Amino acid sequence: GAGVSQSPSNKVTEKGKDVELRCDPISGHTALYWYRQSLGQGLEFLIYFQGNSAPDKSGLPSDRFSAERTGGSVSTLTIQRTQQEDSAVYLCASSLARQGYSYEQYFGPGTRLTVT
Amino acid sequence: AQSVTQLDSQVPVFEEAPVELRCNYSSSVSVYLFWYVQYPNQGLQLLLKYLSGSTLVESINGFEAEFNKSQTSFHLRKPSVHISDTAEYFCAVSDMKTSYDKVIFGPGTSLSVIP
């Protein structure tokens, strides 16, 4: 079946512009995660959606970052007034996830964001 | 809050030599533990996981990891590495009781296998 897809694969934007990154999770997966991967920094947790619960936004680095998940499926990560330090690969992952059990996360290919 | 430490950022090793990639986590409560691998120019994928039962878990390509609760460690080992094992390896943990499905990743270890 189809895996997690992300678009665009690459995005180059000027400092100060807004960008939207899209994630299509695997159908039926209730949990969706956004991470940021910077060179030499590993994976930085950004935000987590689980079903209809309020999202865990504890990893968002500033109020310029926001995310939504419509209809429990597609998610959009928005970065307003981009800065050069926002340049990174943004990864989306989804999993089944139910209480008392932790399922494997399936990762998308990522969106490479470059802010010039 | 849960955190994961991978002490070695880069590990070079000769082909067919053994390797150990170290992972320690912060919390002593019940946890789920994972190793993910990212091959060059590919996405992350699960290598192996510990959920319960035997503390020694294995992957299909010869890696193994042992959960040590007293030392809060989950080190990854392979007795003989191949060139194809060159990749970035990430240790990850989730808290079984409070946030079972929120996974925290370590900074990663870059394994380079030298021919």
Side-chain angles (χ1 to χ4, degrees), chain A residues 31 33 35 37 40-43 45 48 50 56 58 91 97-105 107-109, chain B residues 32 34 36 38 42-46 49 51 88 90 94 96-97 99-108:
Chain A
Y33 312 76
Y35 297 92
Q37 185 176 25
Q41 298 297 316
L43 270 73
F45 167 78
Y48 156 60
Q50 170 58 289
D56 179 345
S58 60
L91 294 170
R98 61 179 171 83
Q99 190 167 5
Y101 197 81
S102 187
Y103 285 84
E104 171 183 357
Q105 293 190 22
F107 283 83
Chain B
Y32 296 120
F34 309 84
Y36 281 80
Q38 187 175 30
Q42 295 186 29
L44 274 85
Q45 54 189 282
L46 182 69
K49 62 184 177 184
L51 301 180
E88 190 86 16
F90 296 91
S94 65
M96 188 185 298
K97 290 188 177 179
S99 56
Y100 54 92
D101 48 1
K102 177 180 175 180
V103 180
I104 302 299
F105 285 80

Side-chain angles (χ1 to χ4, degrees), chain B residues 54-105:
Chain B
S54 173
T55 57
L56 185 66
V57 291
E58 299 177 351
S59 72
I60 58 174
N61 60 350
F63 281 93
E64 64 179 29
E66 186 163 18
F67 168 52
N68 188 318
K69 187 174 182 179
S70 63
Q71 297 185 5
T72 60
S73 68
F74 191 56
H75 302 330
L76 182 69
R77 303 183 183 95
K78 189 170 185 179
S80 176
V81 295
H82 302 290
I83 296 292
S84 59
D85 293 325
T86 294
E88 190 86 16
Y89 291 80
F90 296 91
C91 183
V93 60
S94 65
D95 186 325
M96 188 185 298
K97 290 188 177 179
T98 61
S99 56
Y100 54 92
D101 48 1
K102 177 180 175 180
V103 180
I104 302 299
F105 285 80

Side-chain angles (χ1 to χ4, degrees), chain B residues 7-9 12 19 30 40 43 72-73 87 98 100:
Chain B
L7 291 175
D8 306 303
S9 60
V19 70
S30 298
T72 60
S73 68
T98 61
Y100 54 92

Side-chain angles (χ1 to χ4, degrees), chain A:
Chain A
V4 178
S5 60
Q6 293 185 245
S7 60
S9 56
N10 281 284
K11 177 70 176 179
V12 180
T13 189
E14 293 180 354
K15 177 181 174 181
K17 300 284 189 181
D18 298 351
V19 295
E20 284 189 352
L21 312 180
R22 177 187 169 103
C23 172
D24 283 86
I26 292 173
S27 177
H29 280 192
T30 56
L32 186 147
Y33 312 76
W34 282 99
Y35 297 92
R36 180 167 67 177
Q37 185 176 25
S38 304
L39 189 63
Q41 298 297 316
L43 270 73
E44 176 187 4
F45 167 78
L46 296 178
I47 189 170
Y48 156 60
F49 297 89
Q50 170 58 289
N52 295 321
S53 302
D56 179 345
K57 304 179 181 179
S58 60
L60 294 179
S62 76
D63 58 7
R64 295 187 296 104
F65 288 73
S66 64
E68 63 177 21
R69 188 178 185 191
T70 55
S73 181
V74 173
S75 177
T76 301
L77 177 69
T78 301
I79 309 173
Q80 297 178 311
R81 305 181 302 281
T82 53
Q83 304 294 314
Q84 288 187 332
E85 59 263 29
D86 299 335
S87 296
V89 176
Y90 289 82
L91 294 170
C92 176
S94 71
S95 75
L96 283 171
R98 61 179 171 83
Q99 190 167 5
Y101 197 81
S102 187
Y103 285 84
E104 171 183 357
Q105 293 190 22
Y106 292 82
F107 283 83
T111 293
R112 181 175 298 277
L113 175 66
T114 304
V115 182
T116 62

